[in-house]
Amino acid sequence: MGDVNRSSLPRDFIWGVSTSSYQIEGAVQVDGRGPSVWDGYCRSPGHVANGDTGDVACDHYHRYQEDIALMRDLGVGAYRFSIAWPRVLPTGRGQANEAGLAFYDRLIDGLLAANIEPWLCLYHWDLPQALEDQGGWLNRDIVGWFGDYAQLIATRFGDRVGRFATFNEPSVFTLFGYGFAWHPPGATDPAGLYKATHYVNLAHGAGVDALRAHAPSALVGAIHNVQPARAAGPTAADEAAAVLLDEHWNKAFPEAQILGHYPPALARAIEPYIQPGDLARICRQPDWFGVNHYSPVYARADATAPLGFAWADAPADVPRSPIGWQMDPAAFRDTLIDVHRRYRLPIYVLENGAGAVEKPDAAGAIEDHERIGYLSTYTDALREAVVAGADVRGYFVWSLLDNFEWGAGYASRFGLVYVDYPTLRRIPKASARWYAQLIRSERAGAAR
Ligand code: IFM
């Protein structure tokens, strides 16, 4: 798509960074936080590389001021983080934990003082274990529990937070948790997957209602992973598998939440769990659409697989990031254009970035030129999407800091800032300097 210059972006375009609670906070037993499903899952052998846990992570709970200072140095206009549900409601419902809420007060106030807009996500996968013990996402009562939690958060922080998201990547934690056994609760249970999908969608609807009722001036959305779902091979069976993956990965949540229906195969699978009025409860016009995007995903036919398709790797000859994820900026551009055409909402890219296995060089620096290359080509692709008409209004790098990368533990690093885990020292990488420079020049361009 040729030459696209910086001025293609809207004047008030937001440049930000993202993180999530379990991946950075640590302090899992501090100030009354209750256990989350990830605390137990990490302790169960074989689930997380190297036996890593989020017990300490980046110790952001105690070092949030230093992390805000890092964001100020980057010059970001916004920071997307998530609340740890078990930190504010240790058993998931009932009595709130004042110390946990006070931590987020301090974080939000610190961000505002640094002129950084807080974007608050209610759920980035750390379900309170006490709720999992009552069935978790397989118990329809969780819809009400989530609504109550959303009310608590909106009431407490709605005076200072203008952007709320209900869920981050709902298709990842449901598909990996109930379809592929890669996340808690570690099941391969198609019926569970379809039930959980529907109850998460209902919880989204309840969450939007609570946020709008108790934080009426806030703008509310959800954050979806959206990637082209491709066939691993040229057969019709693989093509059909890719269509199924597309429904599960890209459409299970936004179609129900924004268009009011499930895509065809999922509609049949979820039908037993749908009660009259459910789709109306789920379908709430959001104020914006959050896109998380890294690379395309692949499926191949497998008649023996519980979901009728198997996860597949990208073709061997594609360009890859240092941790082996396909790099395909054109797919990012096309995804943004598709999301725009399909949902007609303001789009914010709330995650994009590259993972690597890194350590400082002899001079103590992290010269992450491959990440800079990734970010540079992907932000160029974003500009192309805007020129093609996509209403993209912000871009947030995943992630501010290296952090706990779920099943990969601490081995995969996505941060603009390196974390030396033994000492918890933060070292901005070359990509942090690159991003700060990009933001400065974009701001200067917008001011002209
Ligand atoms: O670290 C994750 C994040 O929690 C959700 N989106 C993808 C990131 C990289 O794997």
Side-chain angles (χ1 to χ4, degrees), residues 166-229:
T166 52
F167 285 90
N168 179 73
E169 297 181 0
S171 70
V172 173
F173 75 84
T174 52
L175 196 57
F176 287 5
Y178 299 93
F180 290 101
W182 295 335
H183 279 192
T188 38
D189 166 19
L193 170 64
Y194 298 124
K195 200 189 268 194
T197 297
H198 189 55
Y199 296 167
V200 169
N201 268 325
L202 283 165
H204 163 82
V208 170
D209 288 350
L211 292 168
R212 290 206 163 126
H214 298 279
S217 54
L219 297 173
V220 177
I223 306 164
H224 303 287
N225 46 290
V226 197
Q227 282 104 346

Side-chain angles (χ1 to χ4, degrees), residues 72-408:
R72 214 183 30 223
D73 292 348
L74 284 172
V76 293
Y79 172 54
R80 174 204 144 201
F81 64 99
S82 73
I83 299 267
W85 188 347
R87 195 178 289 291
V88 297
L89 286 164
T91 58
R93 57 201 179 113
Q95 187 60 44
N97 176 28
E98 179 52 35
L101 290 165
F103 165 67
Y104 295 108
D105 277 331
R106 294 193 294 278
L107 174 64
I108 290 165
D109 291 345
L111 289 165
L112 292 172
N115 224 359
I116 298 167
E117 195 188 340
W119 285 51
L120 187 161
C121 178
L122 291 175
Y123 190 82
H124 198 126
W125 311 351
D126 40 1
L127 183 72
Q129 182 62 44
L131 298 186
E132 178 63 26
D133 295 342
Q134 296 163 72
W137 293 110
L138 302 183
N139 181 344
R140 196 176 160 113
D141 290 345
I142 200 164
V143 177
W145 303 336
F146 187 80
D148 292 345
Y149 162 53
Q151 174 173 339
L152 171 74
I153 297 304
T155 306
R156 178 76 174 221
F157 304 117
D159 58 337
R160 285 158 289 161
V161 174
R163 299 278 184 163
F164 288 93
T166 52
F167 285 90
N168 179 73
E169 297 181 0
S171 70
V172 173
F173 75 84
T174 52
L175 196 57
F176 287 5
Y178 299 93
F180 290 101
W182 295 335
H183 279 192
T188 38
D189 166 19
L193 170 64
Y194 298 124
K195 200 189 268 194
T197 297
H198 189 55
Y199 296 167
V200 169
N201 268 325
L202 283 165
H204 163 82
V208 170
D209 288 350
L211 292 168
R212 290 206 163 126
H214 298 279
S217 54
L219 297 173
V220 177
I223 306 164
H224 303 287
N225 46 290
V226 197
Q227 282 104 346
R230 295 181 178 161
T235 64
D238 279 359
E239 291 294 343
V243 171
L244 264 185
L245 174 59
D246 184 48
E247 285 201 13
H248 284 76
W249 188 254
N250 293 316
K251 306 231 164 79
F253 294 90
E255 301 276 294
Q257 294 173 10
I258 301 166
L259 305 181
H261 57 73
Y262 285 109
L266 276 182
R268 287 190 293 278
I270 293 176
E271 212 262 298
Y273 313 110
I274 302 182
Q275 295 181 9
D278 276 3
L279 283 163
R281 285 183 198 105
I282 291 169
C283 185
R284 298 278 181 272
Q285 191 60 17
D287 298 306
W288 49 269
F289 190 110
V291 168
N292 291 356
H293 181 104
Y294 293 85
S295 49
V297 285
Y298 289 80
R300 69 181 157 71
D302 180 350
T304 64
L307 301 176
F309 65 90
W311 202 265
D313 197 9
D317 55 353
V318 298
R320 289 175 190 262
S321 75
I323 55 163
W325 291 16
Q326 182 178 1
M327 297 196 297
D328 184 350
F332 181 44
R333 176 198 63 211
D334 295 346
T335 296
L336 294 173
I337 295 169
D338 283 353
V339 168
H340 170 72
R341 292 198 179 130
R342 217 171 171 81
Y343 304 113
R344 298 279 161 193
L345 287 166
I347 298 168
Y348 294 90
V349 175
L350 292 178
E351 283 188 27
N352 178 243
V357 177
E358 303 170 301
K359 57 176 198 262
D361 61 20
I366 299 94
E367 299 293 343
D368 54 340
H369 295 293
E370 285 177 287
R371 178 173 293 105
I372 293 174
Y374 177 99
L375 295 173
S376 162
T377 54
Y378 273 69
T379 47
D380 283 350
L382 181 150
R383 288 177 222 283
E384 291 177 2
V386 170
V387 168
D391 183 8
V392 187
R393 301 189 187 180
Y395 175 87
F396 291 49
V397 173
W398 183 271
S399 180
L400 170 65
L401 302 169
D402 292 339
N403 58 49
F404 176 77
E405 177 56 15
W406 310 113

